Amino acid sequence: MRTALLQSSGHPGSTVENLKVLDEAAGRAAAAGAALLVAPEMFLTGYAIGDDIARLAEPADGDSADAVAELAHRHGLAVVYGYPERDGEAVHNSAQLISADGTRLANYRKSHLFGGFERDHYTPGDQPVVQAQLGGLTVGLMICYDVEFPELVRAHALAGTDLLLVPTANMHPFQLVAESLVPVRAWENQMYLAYANRVGHEGEFEFFGLSTLAGPDGVARVRAGRGEELVVADVDPALLAASREANPYLQDRRPGLYGSLS
């Protein structure tokens, strides 16, 4: 399944303009043969927008979800995007997957909030593994800081995730995550991992880009630079099956030894 990663911070504070950017990127991704487009964390509104997070938050089935469903259907590809989700009085840092026919397939709420900024503005989610079927693959969702917790990624591996989609807003000085940790997570859990980052300055943050699609062999199939970019690479089920046969980490585990970890 050809997968496109959108590396952009869009227009912080403007959902309308960010939907336009997403629409244009979906057109370019579809033209490149992609069946899936992954946009960064909080792409629909911007990340460092303070109290505008609560003002711009929408329910998972809100107007913006309808707009993304329409563009996904028009361009004929699935779309994952980050947004602030309103659920009553709570606001979650969420990511939603919409299929190529416009169906809402999965919605994930970030469970590990990073730093005081996120803890001040969001309620953490409590569902660790969110999955959907897409293009013959089991895809999973998490957001940015979540992927830095090996327990959470391993939970996806044990649940059968083939491709883990990670909308991200990672900033200096944490480039190590994109450069080293993401390929290692893909290798140790025998899955593909798509990590789509923001880029450039926003408020007090400087996002470093380096969006990456890593394979189960620990090799980055594609890696973006540090500017606005759309990169595309393939997720190969045959390679995934062969890699899992050659590297049976999940079968060779001894869970009885690991009880103290939880």
Side-chain angles (χ1 to χ4, degrees), residues 7-210:
Q7 180 166 287
S8 172
S9 288
H11 300 270
S14 176
T15 301
V16 171
E17 293 302 316
N18 290 327
L19 284 168
K20 291 179 182 177
V21 174
L22 191 63
D23 193 355
E24 188 271 340
R28 286 192 286 142
L36 171 65
L37 171 65
V38 185
E41 179 178 4
M42 290 290 288
F43 184 75
L44 281 190
T45 60
Y47 180 88
I49 58 173
D51 291 341
D52 280 348
I53 291 170
R55 181 179 66 83
L56 295 173
E58 297 184 27
D61 60 354
D63 291 343
S64 291
D66 289 343
V68 176
E70 189 279 327
L71 71 86
H73 184 262
R74 176 158 38 84
H75 292 293
L77 81 173
V79 177
V80 177
Y81 64 97
Y83 74 107
E85 180 192 354
R86 169 72 64 185
D87 183 12
E89 293 300 312
V91 174
H92 301 278
N93 182 334
S94 295
Q96 184 151 230
L97 169 63
I98 294 181
S99 73
D101 66 5
T103 302
R104 293 173 50 243
L105 294 181
N107 188 72
Y108 171 75
R109 296 168 173 176
K110 189 173 187 178
S111 55
H112 297 78
L113 301 180
F114 177 76
F117 178 84
E118 290 192 4
R119 288 191 289 269
D120 286 345
H121 289 92
Y122 300 111
T123 298
D126 57 9
Q127 187 173 356
V129 176
V130 172
Q131 297 171 311
Q133 297 301 309
L134 186 70
L137 298 170
T138 299
V139 300
L141 292 173
M142 63 175 57
I143 299 172
C144 198
Y145 193 40
D146 289 325
V147 80
E148 299 176 40
F149 291 81
E151 302 90 343
L152 195 61
V153 185
R154 180 52 55 89
H156 269 275
L158 294 175
T161 294
D162 300 312
L163 169 60
L164 187 58
L165 309 175
V166 189
T168 295
N170 205 347
M171 67 285 288
H172 291 288
F174 305 114
Q175 295 92 316
L176 174 73
V177 175
E179 293 171 342
S180 300
L181 186 147
V182 165
V184 168
R185 285 284 180 271
W187 162 262
E188 68 189 5
N189 290 288
Q190 288 300 295
M191 61 174 59
Y192 280 90
L193 202 159
Y195 188 82
N197 199 11
R198 302 177 71 85
V199 67
H201 290 275
E202 189 178 334
E204 63 185 285
F205 306 109
E206 183 183 357
F207 303 109
F208 56 72
L210 301 179

